[in-house]
Amino acid sequence: MEKRLKLLAESYDITIDLGRKGINLYERLPEYITNDPDYHIYLKWATKGSECSKIVEHLSPEKNMNFIDMGCCLNLMFRGYDKWPSTYHGIDISSKTISLLNEFTTKNKVAIGSLHCTSIHKTPFKNNYFDIGACIGVLEYFEQDFVSMAIAEAHRIIKPYGKLVLDIPNIENPFCRIMMLIEEHLGRPDKFNISPLEFEEVLYNHFEIEEIEKIESDPMIRYFLRCKK
């Protein structure tokens, strides 16, 4: 597991370093990916991102809420989380990502709660600290044992009846294949090895599933959850 986390951290660190130089790796994909007939439809989903209204509607962020972004990447910069009234907390395995977010918050005077370079399965927060949370575009990198630990950790830090949104890859979706090709090309291949039913069994001990969103044009299956204690 430690090797896996190190690989992911290094891959995202490289992406950040190149991004600072104006190099966007997603714009330099090989032709075997960009010429794939499913690629351009995949792009429509990728540009939508995690700021979709349904996530906001479910989490219903308010001023006095603490929000945890698990595996935050650059969501604070590009997915609208900096505009939410809730207090933002982010964790990510990439130290370069956290550094860039710290620069962003300082430069733009964005008030947040905290940023931590750590794994989603072992966070520095107290029990029942968060009202709402999200884990978007993260779990696909891991196998079942780690996913189970991450779900248990989310359950620990989210308040009773608190809300969480997360997603997993829809392996049967052709656009998921494109996503996996891209991630493998970037040096962080997806390792998710759980069927939706198996994943839902993991959830049942910790969260109530309020809704499952599965869309034909979306490579991910999104879960809207409420924390059970």
Side-chain angles (χ1 to χ4, degrees):
M1 182 177 68
E2 293 302 322
K3 289 183 179 179
R4 181 67 180 164
L5 292 171
K6 182 179 179 181
L7 181 148
L8 291 169
E10 290 175 348
S11 176
Y12 275 102
D13 284 350
I14 290 171
T15 300
I16 295 294
D17 284 341
L18 291 176
R20 287 180 181 275
K21 299 176 182 178
I23 300 172
N24 185 343
L25 292 177
Y26 291 95
E27 295 176 351
R28 299 190 175 197
L29 298 173
E31 289 187 355
Y32 75 87
I33 294 177
T34 58
N35 288 341
D36 190 290
D38 292 326
Y39 174 70
H40 293 289
I41 301 177
Y42 162 84
L43 274 183
K44 293 181 181 179
W45 167 82
T47 55
K48 180 180 68 174
S50 57
E51 75 280 17
C52 75
S53 60
K54 198 161 187 178
I55 292 178
V56 180
E57 180 182 346
H58 176 71
L59 295 181
S60 301
E62 296 179 3
K63 186 175 182 180
N64 295 322
M65 288 182 172
N66 284 314
F67 165 55
I68 179 63
D69 190 5
M70 303 180 73
C72 60
C73 196
L74 300 180
N75 293 333
L76 186 65
M77 296 170 60
F78 299 122
R79 303 305 185 194
Y81 293 164
D82 59 321
K83 304 297 192 299
W84 287 16
S86 50
T87 301
Y88 181 91
H89 297 260
I91 56 176
D92 199 277
I93 198 67
S94 162
S95 62
K96 300 293 182 70
T97 294
I98 296 300
S99 293
L100 183 55
L101 290 177
N102 276 316
E103 292 174 23
F104 170 78
T105 57
T106 300
K107 180 180 179 180
N108 295 280
K109 298 181 180 179
V110 177
I112 63 168
S114 63
L115 291 167
H116 297 277
C117 181
T118 188
S119 169
I120 63 171
H121 81 293
K122 190 175 183 180
T123 74
F125 304 108
K126 296 179 181 178
N127 294 348
N128 306 322
Y129 187 76
F130 294 100
D131 302 275
I132 54 176
C135 185
I136 302 295
V138 181
L139 296 180
E140 63 261 32
Y141 293 123
F142 301 102
E143 297 180 346
Q144 184 167 2
D145 287 348
F146 183 93
V147 170
S148 296
M149 288 189 289
I151 296 300
E153 180 67 358
H155 177 262
R156 182 186 71 80
I157 62 177
I158 293 178
K159 294 178 180 179
Y161 308 108
K163 296 179 180 180
L164 175 68
V165 178
L166 51 76
D167 60 6
I168 63 172
N170 182 2
I171 305 298
E172 298 177 353
N173 189 296
F175 311 123
C176 185
R177 178 180 58 82
I178 299 295
M179 181 185 73
M180 289 182 168
L181 286 175
I182 293 172
E183 294 303 299
E184 184 171 9
H185 170 71
L186 295 176
R188 44 180 186 259
D190 291 337
K191 294 293 185 180
F192 197 82
N193 63 345
I194 316 172
S195 71
L197 287 178
E198 290 172 327
F199 178 69
E200 289 159 24
E201 288 180 2
V202 174
L203 290 177
Y204 285 144
N205 290 328
H206 304 291
F207 293 93
E208 176 186 349
I209 300 175
E210 295 196 334
E211 185 177 352
I212 301 173
E213 184 179 59
K214 187 176 181 181
I215 302 173
E216 183 178 356
S217 60
D218 194 327
M220 308 297 287
I221 301 172
R222 193 169 290 119
Y223 288 84
F224 300 87
L225 311 172
R226 188 178 291 273
C227 189
K228 298 192 297 188
K229 296 284 185 174

Short mmCIF file of all heavy atoms in Angstrom, two decimals, residues 163-207:
data_model
loop_
_atom_site.label_atom_id
_atom_site.label_comp_id
_atom_site.label_asym_id
_atom_site.label_seq_id
_atom_site.Cartn_x
_atom_site.Cartn_y
_atom_site.Cartn_z
N LYS A 163 -23.48 14.33 5.59
CA LYS A 163 -23.62 13.91 4.20
C LYS A 163 -22.26 13.77 3.52
O LYS A 163 -21.34 14.53 3.77
CB LYS A 163 -24.48 14.91 3.44
CG LYS A 163 -25.91 15.00 3.95
CD LYS A 163 -26.71 16.03 3.16
CE LYS A 163 -28.14 16.14 3.65
NZ LYS A 163 -28.91 17.15 2.89
N LEU A 164 -22.19 12.78 2.62
CA LEU A 164 -20.97 12.51 1.86
C LEU A 164 -21.35 12.18 0.42
O LEU A 164 -22.35 11.49 0.18
CB LEU A 164 -20.20 11.34 2.48
CG LEU A 164 -18.96 10.85 1.75
CD1 LEU A 164 -17.84 11.90 1.79
CD2 LEU A 164 -18.47 9.53 2.33
N VAL A 165 -20.56 12.68 -0.51
CA VAL A 165 -20.68 12.28 -1.91
C VAL A 165 -19.36 11.65 -2.33
O VAL A 165 -18.29 12.20 -2.07
CB VAL A 165 -21.00 13.47 -2.83
CG1 VAL A 165 -21.08 13.03 -4.28
CG2 VAL A 165 -22.31 14.13 -2.43
N LEU A 166 -19.43 10.49 -2.95
CA LEU A 166 -18.22 9.87 -3.49
C LEU A 166 -18.56 9.16 -4.79
O LEU A 166 -19.72 8.98 -5.14
CB LEU A 166 -17.58 8.91 -2.47
CG LEU A 166 -18.44 7.84 -1.81
CD1 LEU A 166 -18.72 6.69 -2.75
CD2 LEU A 166 -17.75 7.32 -0.55
N ASP A 167 -17.51 8.77 -5.52
CA ASP A 167 -17.75 8.06 -6.77
C ASP A 167 -16.76 6.93 -6.96
O ASP A 167 -15.69 6.90 -6.33
CB ASP A 167 -17.74 9.01 -7.98
CG ASP A 167 -16.43 9.75 -8.15
OD1 ASP A 167 -15.46 9.47 -7.42
OD2 ASP A 167 -16.36 10.63 -9.03
N ILE A 168 -17.16 5.98 -7.78
CA ILE A 168 -16.32 4.85 -8.16
C ILE A 168 -16.42 4.68 -9.67
O ILE A 168 -17.40 5.13 -10.29
CB ILE A 168 -16.74 3.55 -7.44
CG1 ILE A 168 -18.17 3.14 -7.85
CG2 ILE A 168 -16.61 3.70 -5.94
CD1 ILE A 168 -18.58 1.76 -7.35
N PRO A 169 -15.44 4.04 -10.28
CA PRO A 169 -15.51 3.85 -11.74
C PRO A 169 -16.59 2.85 -12.14
O PRO A 169 -16.79 1.83 -11.47
CB PRO A 169 -14.11 3.34 -12.10
CG PRO A 169 -13.61 2.71 -10.84
CD PRO A 169 -14.20 3.53 -9.72
N ASN A 170 -17.27 3.17 -13.22
CA ASN A 170 -18.25 2.25 -13.81
C ASN A 170 -17.52 1.44 -14.87
O ASN A 170 -17.40 1.85 -16.02
CB ASN A 170 -19.41 3.04 -14.42
CG ASN A 170 -20.48 2.14 -15.01
OD1 ASN A 170 -20.40 0.91 -14.93
ND2 ASN A 170 -21.49 2.74 -15.61
N ILE A 171 -17.00 0.30 -14.47
CA ILE A 171 -16.12 -0.50 -15.32
C ILE A 171 -16.80 -0.88 -16.64
O ILE A 171 -16.13 -1.03 -17.67
CB ILE A 171 -15.68 -1.78 -14.58
CG1 ILE A 171 -15.02 -1.42 -13.24
CG2 ILE A 171 -14.71 -2.58 -15.43
CD1 ILE A 171 -13.79 -0.58 -13.37
N GLU A 172 -18.09 -1.01 -16.63
CA GLU A 172 -18.81 -1.43 -17.83
C GLU A 172 -19.00 -0.29 -18.83
O GLU A 172 -19.40 -0.52 -19.98
CB GLU A 172 -20.18 -1.99 -17.45
CG GLU A 172 -20.10 -3.22 -16.57
CD GLU A 172 -21.46 -3.72 -16.13
OE1 GLU A 172 -22.46 -3.01 -16.42
OE2 GLU A 172 -21.53 -4.80 -15.52
N ASN A 173 -18.73 0.94 -18.43
CA ASN A 173 -18.95 2.10 -19.28
C ASN A 173 -17.75 2.30 -20.22
O ASN A 173 -16.60 2.28 -19.77
CB ASN A 173 -19.13 3.34 -18.40
CG ASN A 173 -19.57 4.56 -19.19
OD1 ASN A 173 -18.85 5.03 -20.04
ND2 ASN A 173 -20.75 5.06 -18.87
N PRO A 174 -17.97 2.50 -21.53
CA PRO A 174 -16.85 2.65 -22.47
C PRO A 174 -15.99 3.88 -22.17
O PRO A 174 -14.79 3.89 -22.47
CB PRO A 174 -17.53 2.77 -23.83
CG PRO A 174 -18.92 3.19 -23.53
CD PRO A 174 -19.27 2.55 -22.23
N PHE A 175 -16.57 4.91 -21.57
CA PHE A 175 -15.80 6.11 -21.26
C PHE A 175 -14.89 5.90 -20.06
O PHE A 175 -13.90 6.60 -19.88
CB PHE A 175 -16.75 7.29 -21.06
CG PHE A 175 -17.75 7.42 -22.16
CD1 PHE A 175 -19.10 7.42 -21.89
CD2 PHE A 175 -17.34 7.50 -23.48
CE1 PHE A 175 -20.03 7.51 -22.92
CE2 PHE A 175 -18.25 7.58 -24.52
CZ PHE A 175 -19.60 7.59 -24.24
N CYS A 176 -15.25 4.91 -19.23
CA CYS A 176 -14.36 4.54 -18.13
C CYS A 176 -13.07 3.96 -18.68
O CYS A 176 -11.99 4.17 -18.13
CB CYS A 176 -15.06 3.54 -17.21
SG CYS A 176 -14.13 3.13 -15.74
N ARG A 177 -13.17 3.23 -19.77
CA ARG A 177 -11.98 2.68 -20.43
C ARG A 177 -11.04 3.81 -20.85
O ARG A 177 -9.81 3.70 -20.68
CB ARG A 177 -12.42 1.86 -21.64
CG ARG A 177 -11.26 1.28 -22.45
CD ARG A 177 -11.79 0.48 -23.63
NE ARG A 177 -12.62 1.30 -24.51
CZ ARG A 177 -12.13 2.10 -25.45
NH1 ARG A 177 -10.82 2.18 -25.63
NH2 ARG A 177 -12.93 2.81 -26.21
N ILE A 178 -11.58 4.90 -21.38
CA ILE A 178 -10.76 6.04 -21.78
C ILE A 178 -10.08 6.65 -20.55
O ILE A 178 -8.89 6.96 -20.57
CB ILE A 178 -11.61 7.11 -22.49
CG1 ILE A 178 -12.24 6.53 -23.76
CG2 ILE A 178 -10.77 8.34 -22.81
CD1 ILE A 178 -11.25 6.14 -24.82
N MET A 179 -10.85 6.84 -19.50
CA MET A 179 -10.30 7.39 -18.27
C MET A 179 -9.14 6.55 -17.76
O MET A 179 -8.09 7.08 -17.37
CB MET A 179 -11.40 7.48 -17.21
CG MET A 179 -10.94 8.06 -15.88
SD MET A 179 -12.24 8.00 -14.62
CE MET A 179 -12.27 6.24 -14.24
N MET A 180 -9.30 5.24 -17.81
CA MET A 180 -8.25 4.35 -17.32
C MET A 180 -7.02 4.40 -18.21
O MET A 180 -5.89 4.32 -17.72
CB MET A 180 -8.80 2.94 -17.21
CG MET A 180 -9.79 2.77 -16.08
SD MET A 180 -10.38 1.05 -15.92
CE MET A 180 -11.21 1.14 -14.32
N LEU A 181 -7.23 4.53 -19.51
CA LEU A 181 -6.09 4.67 -20.43
C LEU A 181 -5.30 5.93 -20.11
O LEU A 181 -4.06 5.92 -20.12
CB LEU A 181 -6.59 4.72 -21.88
CG LEU A 181 -7.06 3.40 -22.50
CD1 LEU A 181 -7.63 3.67 -23.90
CD2 LEU A 181 -5.93 2.38 -22.58
N ILE A 182 -6.00 7.00 -19.83
CA ILE A 182 -5.33 8.27 -19.52
C ILE A 182 -4.55 8.16 -18.21
O ILE A 182 -3.38 8.57 -18.14
CB ILE A 182 -6.37 9.41 -19.44
CG1 ILE A 182 -6.97 9.68 -20.82
CG2 ILE A 182 -5.73 10.68 -18.88
CD1 ILE A 182 -8.12 10.64 -20.81
N GLU A 183 -5.18 7.61 -17.20
CA GLU A 183 -4.51 7.50 -15.91
C GLU A 183 -3.29 6.58 -15.99
O GLU A 183 -2.25 6.87 -15.38
CB GLU A 183 -5.49 6.99 -14.85
CG GLU A 183 -6.62 7.95 -14.54
CD GLU A 183 -6.12 9.31 -14.10
OE1 GLU A 183 -5.42 9.38 -13.09
OE2 GLU A 183 -6.42 10.30 -14.79
N GLU A 184 -3.38 5.52 -16.75
CA GLU A 184 -2.23 4.64 -16.92
C GLU A 184 -1.10 5.37 -17.65
O GLU A 184 0.07 5.24 -17.30
CB GLU A 184 -2.64 3.39 -17.68
CG GLU A 184 -1.51 2.38 -17.81
CD GLU A 184 -1.99 1.05 -18.38
OE1 GLU A 184 -3.15 0.98 -18.84
OE2 GLU A 184 -1.19 0.10 -18.37
N HIS A 185 -1.46 6.14 -18.68
CA HIS A 185 -0.46 6.92 -19.41
C HIS A 185 0.25 7.92 -18.49
O HIS A 185 1.46 8.16 -18.65
CB HIS A 185 -1.13 7.66 -20.57
CG HIS A 185 -0.25 8.68 -21.23
ND1 HIS A 185 0.82 8.33 -22.03
CD2 HIS A 185 -0.28 10.04 -21.18
CE1 HIS A 185 1.41 9.43 -22.46
NE2 HIS A 185 0.78 10.47 -21.97
N LEU A 186 -0.48 8.47 -17.53
CA LEU A 186 0.09 9.46 -16.62
C LEU A 186 0.86 8.82 -15.47
O LEU A 186 1.38 9.53 -14.60
CB LEU A 186 -1.03 10.35 -16.06
CG LEU A 186 -1.74 11.23 -17.10
CD1 LEU A 186 -2.89 11.98 -16.44
CD2 LEU A 186 -0.78 12.19 -17.76
N GLY A 187 0.93 7.50 -15.44
CA GLY A 187 1.74 6.81 -14.45
C GLY A 187 1.02 6.47 -13.17
O GLY A 187 1.65 6.16 -12.15
N ARG A 188 -0.31 6.52 -13.19
CA ARG A 188 -1.08 6.18 -11.99
C ARG A 188 -2.28 5.31 -12.39
O ARG A 188 -3.43 5.76 -12.31
CB ARG A 188 -1.53 7.45 -11.27
CG ARG A 188 -2.07 8.55 -12.17
CD ARG A 188 -2.47 9.76 -11.36
NE ARG A 188 -3.12 10.77 -12.15
CZ ARG A 188 -2.53 11.88 -12.61
NH1 ARG A 188 -1.26 12.12 -12.33
NH2 ARG A 188 -3.20 12.75 -13.33
N PRO A 189 -2.04 4.10 -12.81
CA PRO A 189 -3.12 3.23 -13.30
C PRO A 189 -4.16 2.95 -12.23
O PRO A 189 -3.85 2.82 -11.04
CB PRO A 189 -2.38 1.94 -13.71
CG PRO A 189 -1.10 1.96 -12.95
CD PRO A 189 -0.72 3.40 -12.83
N ASP A 190 -5.41 2.88 -12.66
CA ASP A 190 -6.50 2.55 -11.75
C ASP A 190 -6.39 1.10 -11.31
O ASP A 190 -6.04 0.22 -12.08
CB ASP A 190 -7.85 2.77 -12.44
CG ASP A 190 -8.13 4.24 -12.69
OD1 ASP A 190 -7.55 5.08 -11.99
OD2 ASP A 190 -8.94 4.54 -13.59
N LYS A 191 -6.74 0.85 -10.03
CA LYS A 191 -6.64 -0.49 -9.47
C LYS A 191 -7.96 -0.96 -8.87
O LYS A 191 -8.01 -2.01 -8.23
CB LYS A 191 -5.56 -0.52 -8.39
CG LYS A 191 -4.14 -0.29 -8.90
CD LYS A 191 -3.68 -1.44 -9.78
CE LYS A 191 -2.22 -1.28 -10.20
NZ LYS A 191 -1.76 -2.41 -11.05
N PHE A 192 -9.03 -0.21 -9.06
CA PHE A 192 -10.31 -0.54 -8.44
C PHE A 192 -10.77 -1.92 -8.90
O PHE A 192 -10.87 -2.20 -10.09
CB PHE A 192 -11.34 0.52 -8.84
CG PHE A 192 -12.57 0.53 -7.96
CD1 PHE A 192 -12.55 1.18 -6.74
CD2 PHE A 192 -13.72 -0.11 -8.37
CE1 PHE A 192 -13.68 1.20 -5.94
CE2 PHE A 192 -14.85 -0.10 -7.58
CZ PHE A 192 -14.83 0.56 -6.36
N ASN A 193 -11.07 -2.79 -7.94
CA ASN A 193 -11.38 -4.19 -8.27
C ASN A 193 -12.65 -4.68 -7.57
O ASN A 193 -12.77 -5.85 -7.23
CB ASN A 193 -10.20 -5.09 -7.89
CG ASN A 193 -9.91 -5.09 -6.40
OD1 ASN A 193 -10.39 -4.23 -5.67
ND2 ASN A 193 -9.12 -6.06 -5.95
N ILE A 194 -13.60 -3.76 -7.36
CA ILE A 194 -14.81 -4.10 -6.63
C ILE A 194 -16.02 -3.84 -7.52
O ILE A 194 -16.12 -2.80 -8.16
CB ILE A 194 -14.94 -3.24 -5.35
CG1 ILE A 194 -13.61 -3.14 -4.61
CG2 ILE A 194 -16.02 -3.80 -4.44
CD1 ILE A 194 -13.63 -2.16 -3.48
N SER A 195 -16.95 -4.76 -7.53
CA SER A 195 -18.19 -4.53 -8.26
C SER A 195 -19.04 -3.53 -7.48
O SER A 195 -18.84 -3.34 -6.26
CB SER A 195 -18.98 -5.83 -8.41
OG SER A 195 -19.51 -6.24 -7.16
N PRO A 196 -19.99 -2.86 -8.12
CA PRO A 196 -20.87 -1.94 -7.39
C PRO A 196 -21.56 -2.60 -6.20
O PRO A 196 -21.67 -1.99 -5.13
CB PRO A 196 -21.87 -1.49 -8.46
CG PRO A 196 -21.09 -1.56 -9.74
CD PRO A 196 -20.22 -2.77 -9.58
N LEU A 197 -22.01 -3.83 -6.35
CA LEU A 197 -22.68 -4.51 -5.24
C LEU A 197 -21.72 -4.74 -4.07
O LEU A 197 -22.10 -4.58 -2.90
CB LEU A 197 -23.27 -5.84 -5.71
CG LEU A 197 -24.52 -5.74 -6.59
CD1 LEU A 197 -24.98 -7.13 -7.01
CD2 LEU A 197 -25.66 -5.02 -5.85
N GLU A 198 -20.49 -5.13 -4.38
CA GLU A 198 -19.50 -5.33 -3.32
C GLU A 198 -19.18 -4.01 -2.63
O GLU A 198 -19.01 -3.96 -1.40
CB GLU A 198 -18.23 -5.94 -3.91
CG GLU A 198 -18.38 -7.39 -4.37
CD GLU A 198 -17.17 -7.89 -5.12
OE1 GLU A 198 -16.52 -7.09 -5.83
OE2 GLU A 198 -16.87 -9.09 -5.01
N PHE A 199 -19.08 -2.96 -3.42
CA PHE A 199 -18.81 -1.64 -2.85
C PHE A 199 -19.95 -1.21 -1.94
O PHE A 199 -19.72 -0.67 -0.85
CB PHE A 199 -18.61 -0.63 -3.98
CG PHE A 199 -18.36 0.77 -3.49
CD1 PHE A 199 -17.18 1.10 -2.84
CD2 PHE A 199 -19.32 1.77 -3.67
CE1 PHE A 199 -16.95 2.39 -2.38
CE2 PHE A 199 -19.09 3.06 -3.22
CZ PHE A 199 -17.91 3.37 -2.57
N GLU A 200 -21.16 -1.44 -2.36
CA GLU A 200 -22.32 -1.05 -1.55
C GLU A 200 -22.38 -1.84 -0.25
O GLU A 200 -22.83 -1.32 0.78
CB GLU A 200 -23.59 -1.21 -2.38
CG GLU A 200 -23.71 -0.16 -3.47
CD GLU A 200 -24.63 -0.53 -4.60
OE1 GLU A 200 -25.53 -1.37 -4.37
OE2 GLU A 200 -24.46 0.02 -5.71
N GLU A 201 -21.89 -3.06 -0.26
CA GLU A 201 -21.81 -3.83 0.99
C GLU A 201 -20.84 -3.18 1.97
O GLU A 201 -21.07 -3.18 3.18
CB GLU A 201 -21.37 -5.27 0.69
CG GLU A 201 -22.45 -6.11 0.01
CD GLU A 201 -21.98 -7.53 -0.28
OE1 GLU A 201 -20.82 -7.85 0.08
OE2 GLU A 201 -22.75 -8.30 -0.87
N VAL A 202 -19.75 -2.63 1.45
CA VAL A 202 -18.81 -1.89 2.29
C VAL A 202 -19.49 -0.66 2.88
O VAL A 202 -19.31 -0.33 4.06
CB VAL A 202 -17.56 -1.49 1.48
CG1 VAL A 202 -16.64 -0.59 2.32
CG2 VAL A 202 -16.80 -2.72 1.00
N LEU A 203 -20.28 0.01 2.08
CA LEU A 203 -20.95 1.23 2.53
C LEU A 203 -21.98 0.98 3.62
O LEU A 203 -22.14 1.79 4.54
CB LEU A 203 -21.64 1.92 1.35
CG LEU A 203 -20.76 2.56 0.28
CD1 LEU A 203 -21.64 3.11 -0.84
CD2 LEU A 203 -19.90 3.67 0.88
N TYR A 204 -22.70 -0.13 3.53
CA TYR A 204 -23.87 -0.35 4.37
C TYR A 204 -23.58 -0.27 5.86
O TYR A 204 -24.44 0.13 6.65
CB TYR A 204 -24.51 -1.70 4.05
CG TYR A 204 -25.29 -1.71 2.75
CD1 TYR A 204 -25.30 -2.84 1.93
CD2 TYR A 204 -26.00 -0.59 2.33
CE1 TYR A 204 -26.00 -2.84 0.73
CE2 TYR A 204 -26.70 -0.59 1.14
CZ TYR A 204 -26.71 -1.72 0.34
OH TYR A 204 -27.40 -1.71 -0.84
N ASN A 205 -22.39 -0.67 6.27
CA ASN A 205 -22.06 -0.63 7.69
C ASN A 205 -21.79 0.78 8.20
O ASN A 205 -21.73 1.01 9.41
CB ASN A 205 -20.83 -1.50 7.98
CG ASN A 205 -21.14 -2.98 7.84
OD1 ASN A 205 -22.27 -3.42 8.10
ND2 ASN A 205 -20.16 -3.75 7.43
N HIS A 206 -21.62 1.72 7.28
CA HIS A 206 -21.20 3.06 7.66
C HIS A 206 -22.13 4.17 7.19
O HIS A 206 -22.27 5.20 7.86
CB HIS A 206 -19.80 3.34 7.10
CG HIS A 206 -18.77 2.34 7.52
ND1 HIS A 206 -18.32 2.24 8.81
CD2 HIS A 206 -18.10 1.39 6.81
CE1 HIS A 206 -17.41 1.27 8.89
NE2 HIS A 206 -17.27 0.73 7.70
N PHE A 207 -22.73 3.98 6.03
CA PHE A 207 -23.53 5.04 5.43
C PHE A 207 -24.84 4.51 4.88
O PHE A 207 -24.92 3.37 4.41
CB PHE A 207 -22.76 5.71 4.28
CG PHE A 207 -21.54 6.47 4.71
CD1 PHE A 207 -20.29 5.84 4.73
CD2 PHE A 207 -21.63 7.79 5.09
CE1 PHE A 207 -19.16 6.54 5.14
CE2 PHE A 207 -20.51 8.50 5.50
CZ PHE A 207 -19.27 7.88 5.52
#
